[in-house]
Amino acid sequence: MTASFNGSMASFIIPIVTGTLSAIGSFVILNIILQSTSKLGTPHHRIMALMSAFDIIASICMVLSTLPMPSDTAFRNGRPMWGNRTTCQIQGFLIVLGISGGAFLYSCLAWYMVCKITFRMDDYKIGRKIEPYIMIVAIALALSGTIFFLEQDLINASSFNSFCSVAP
């Protein structure tokens, strides 16, 4: 008989540890940015700060692990599940929003670097002509995708995740 990771106590504890470390790392990045002389005065700092904020949202929700999952879930397997459908959907919504927001903002960071290195644009020009548009698109895509999953009832508990996320 083989042991299954899904449903084990390790699958409950690992997201708590990794989520905590990720949130601490993002808080450190935010702290470094906010203590710098330019603070949020550069496009690079604004993108990194927003990426960190999205990561903090997702990480804190992952720290909750299986706790927000509905207590009547069939695949409980001894993991603590004290939530209901609403708490699960809130957790899943914030995790998907945080992960997708971070991913889209990573692409904003890539475009920032393309403008800076390839096109030799200065921060002022990037901040006025490029950054507003790429940030709006990134946040709109993250929000619209997450809202779509929620409206289609695709944010649920699953047997293969230790937190609520996109699952049938």
Side-chain angles (χ1 to χ4, degrees):
M1 185 168 144
T2 59
S4 172
F5 176 75
N6 295 337
S8 67
M9 281 310 282
S11 71
F12 170 72
I13 294 169
I14 289 173
I16 295 171
V17 173
T18 57
T20 300
L21 293 173
S22 181
I24 289 170
S26 290
F27 274 118
V28 168
I29 290 169
L30 272 176
N31 190 39
I32 290 168
I33 290 170
L34 295 175
Q35 287 187 359
S36 70
T37 55
S38 62
K39 298 193 185 320
L40 296 174
T42 66
H44 180 260
H45 281 186
R46 288 190 292 270
I47 294 169
M48 289 299 297
L50 198 52
M51 278 177 67
S52 295
F54 273 107
D55 180 65
I56 289 168
I57 290 168
S59 296
I60 288 173
C61 290
M62 285 181 191
V63 166
L64 297 174
S65 192
T66 60
L67 296 177
M69 287 184 173
S71 55
D72 60 351
T73 301
F75 45 84
R76 186 175 188 148
N77 295 337
R79 297 180 296 178
M81 297 177 181
W82 300 333
N84 56 38
R85 182 168 171 73
T86 303
T87 58
C88 184
Q89 287 185 326
I90 291 169
Q91 180 193 36
F93 180 87
L94 292 173
I95 287 173
V96 173
L97 179 65
I99 291 171
S100 62
F104 286 121
L105 284 162
Y106 183 78
S107 68
C108 291
L109 186 62
W111 277 109
Y112 167 80
M113 292 299 178
V114 166
C115 292
K116 189 87 170 163
I117 296 167
T118 305
F119 301 127
R120 302 196 190 286
M121 295 173 72
D122 62 7
D123 279 348
Y124 180 81
K125 195 171 190 179
I126 295 170
R128 296 290 174 246
K129 298 191 181 274
I130 308 294
E131 180 192 8
Y133 303 107
I134 61 175
M135 296 282 264
I136 289 170
V137 169
I139 293 169
L141 287 171
L143 273 171
S144 62
T146 308
I147 290 169
F148 172 80
F149 289 134
L150 186 64
E151 285 181 346
Q152 296 298 313
D153 198 27
L154 292 173
I155 297 179
N156 299 296
S158 71
S159 61
F160 54 88
N161 270 339
S162 296
F163 44 81
C164 298
S165 64
V166 177

